[in-house]
Structure formats: C-alpha cells, structure tokens
Amino acid sequence: MDDTQKLIIITAPSGSGKTTIVQHLLDNNPQLAFSVSACTRMPRPSETDGVDYYFLSLEKFTRKIANHEFAEFEMVYEGKYYGTLKSELQRIWDSGRTPLVDIDVQGALRLKKHYGEVALSIFVKAPSLEVLKQRLLDRGTETDVSLRERLDKAGYETSFAENFDRIIINDDLRTACAEATKEILLFLS
Ligand code: ADP
Ligand code: 5GP
C-alpha cells in the first residue's frame, strides 16, 4: 500500500446521526467513496445488491473469511455477519478516491488497528442518551424492544469513544458536518 491510500472510518451508536453525516460527506466531497460492505442479512425492499451491501449467503461469506478476504468482519446482530472486503477498499483506491467506511464500533476499532496511521477513525456521539432516545423515537423505525436494545448497546459502545482518533458531538447537525469535513480534509491533505 502506498501512503496516498488512506481511509476514513466512521462509527456511532444507532441514532447518533451517523447515516445523516455520512450522506452529507459523500454528497459534498467527491474524493470520498462509500465502502460497500458484505453482509449475510436479507436485502430490504429499498436496497440494491452492490450499492447498499454485497448480500452474500452464509456459505459464501464464510469462504471469504477462510480466504482472508476481509479487512474486518463482525457478527453485528445475532447470526448476521457484516464485513469490509479488502477488494472493496482496493477498488476505491484504484479509482483515485478515499474509502468512507461506515461500520459498527467493534469493527471500526479492528479496522483502525489493522490500518493504523493511514486510517482516520471518527466516533459520532449524540449530546446525551436522552437526545439519542428522542431521535430514535422521532425516526419512527424502532419497536419498544429494539429501542431498548439500541439504548443499552449505545451506553456500552459509548464507553469506547475515547479509543477513536476524533469524537464529534452531533448536537447541531451543520456544526457536526462542518467539523467532520474539516477533520477529514486535514487528514487527507
Ligand atoms: P444513525 O445512522 O446513527 O442511526 P441517523 O442518521 O439515522 O442515525 O439519525 C437518527 C435520526 O436523528 C434521524 O431521524 C435524523 O434525521 C435525526 N438527526 C440526525 N442528526 C440530528 C441532529 N443534529 N439534530 C436533530 N436530529 C438529527
Ligand atoms: P443494518 O443491518 O441496519 O444495515 O446495519 C447494521 C449495523 O452494521 C450498522 O451499525 C452498520 O454500521 C454495521 N455495519 C455495516 N457494514 C459493516 C461492516 O462491514 N463491518 C462491521 N463491523 N459493521 C458493519
């Protein structure tokens, strides 16, 4: 790998605003490209194979693990694997762009450990668990059970925040996007 091959890793507890910030970064920075992960869950009706995820059977995913094709992988949800393919990062580097990797907290820590100084790892944090809960309620995507699960997990994941290169507090969205953009451009310069 040459030293121009950098990557940006963004992670956050569910409901912190990661997807919103990642979309803003992709829309406004053509040098960044979304790193499409592989996963073993079923596609949702709105999702396209190769765009949102590479949807793989468990058998195919397991074969890729055995062939060392992943830079990192995790069982993010019970029985469901998600992973960053080395070939996906290379595809983006070959196109002259920088991969933006949007993954869960444990996967992000693993990827940062693997790539070290060529990776910038960013943890997006809601101002408080109360605000996070309200955002999840307003988003209207959760059942009582999944809301509880996400809030419990958020507390645990937040305990790893200090292990990341940068922590961005997503209180005012414009400020958080501006801060993320500034940090990324500085890192890539
Ligand atoms: P994540 O990808 O981290 O689960 P989302 O990007 O889906 O989070 O954001 C969760 C909800 O909070 C969405 O409805 C989003 O529109 C809203 N949101 C994101 N950032 C802010 C913010 N700074 N202020 C208020 N609402 C926000
Ligand atoms: P969803 O199933 O809702 O699309 O995503 C579930 C979670 O998996 C999100 O927290 C997302 O960040 C995480 N995720 C997506 N791709 C990867 C990946 O390649 N590796 C890891 N470790 N997590 C991922």
Side-chain angles (χ1 to χ4, degrees):
M1 190 197 306
D2 68 51
D3 65 3
T4 58
Q5 293 189 333
K6 294 180 174 176
L7 70 154
I8 311 295
I9 305 164
I10 301 202
T11 195
S14 178
S16 309
K18 178 181 58 150
T19 306
T20 310
I21 293 173
V22 163
Q23 202 49 57
H24 173 92
L25 291 169
L26 291 168
D27 289 346
N28 292 282
N29 298 279
Q31 71 275 41
L32 300 178
F34 181 68
S35 166
V36 178
S37 293
C39 77
T40 63
R41 75 157 167 75
M42 295 296 288
R44 296 173 187 143
S46 63
E47 292 177 328
T48 307
D49 186 37
V51 175
D52 299 286
Y53 285 103
Y54 299 111
F55 294 101
L56 303 182
S57 64
L58 181 58
E59 191 196 355
K60 269 196 173 163
F61 199 102
T62 311
R63 206 176 313 133
K64 286 183 185 299
I65 295 174
N67 291 338
H68 306 286
E69 291 180 50
F70 287 105
E72 64 75 37
F73 68 91
E74 292 285 326
M75 189 191 283
V76 177
Y77 295 119
E78 193 57 35
K80 301 295 175 211
Y81 286 98
Y82 294 74
T84 308
L85 289 161
K86 292 175 188 168
S87 59
E88 175 68 1
L89 300 179
Q90 197 58 54
R91 178 185 73 78
I92 295 170
W93 284 323
D94 288 346
S95 74
R97 293 171 297 164
T98 300
L100 186 59
V101 186
D102 166 349
I103 60 178
D104 87 315
V105 172
Q106 298 306 324
L109 288 170
R110 204 180 290 274
L111 202 58
K112 171 65 188 179
K113 198 169 174 198
H114 184 86
Y115 285 101
E117 292 306 303
V118 299
L120 177 70
S121 63
I122 299 176
F123 187 96
V124 177
K125 200 173 165 184
S128 68
L129 271 182
E130 241 345 280
V131 171
L132 184 106
K133 180 179 177 186
Q134 195 54 52
R135 284 185 189 162
L136 284 171
L137 286 171
D138 293 345
R139 194 171 70 180
T141 49
E142 308 311 317
T143 62
D144 285 353
V145 173
S146 73
L147 180 67
R148 192 66 262 154
E149 273 174 3
R150 279 164 202 260
L151 290 175
D152 287 347
K153 197 169 174 202
Y156 174 68
E157 288 174 328
T158 301
S159 69
F160 294 96
E162 298 297 330
N163 296 313
F164 288 82
D165 296 322
R166 306 280 182 278
I167 299 174
I168 290 182
I169 309 287
N170 180 21
D171 187 357
D172 174 63
L173 182 61
R174 283 168 62 105
T175 308
C177 288
E179 202 180 321
T181 304
K182 189 189 81 184
E183 293 293 355
I184 290 170
L185 295 182
L186 196 62
F187 176 71
L188 295 180
S189 66

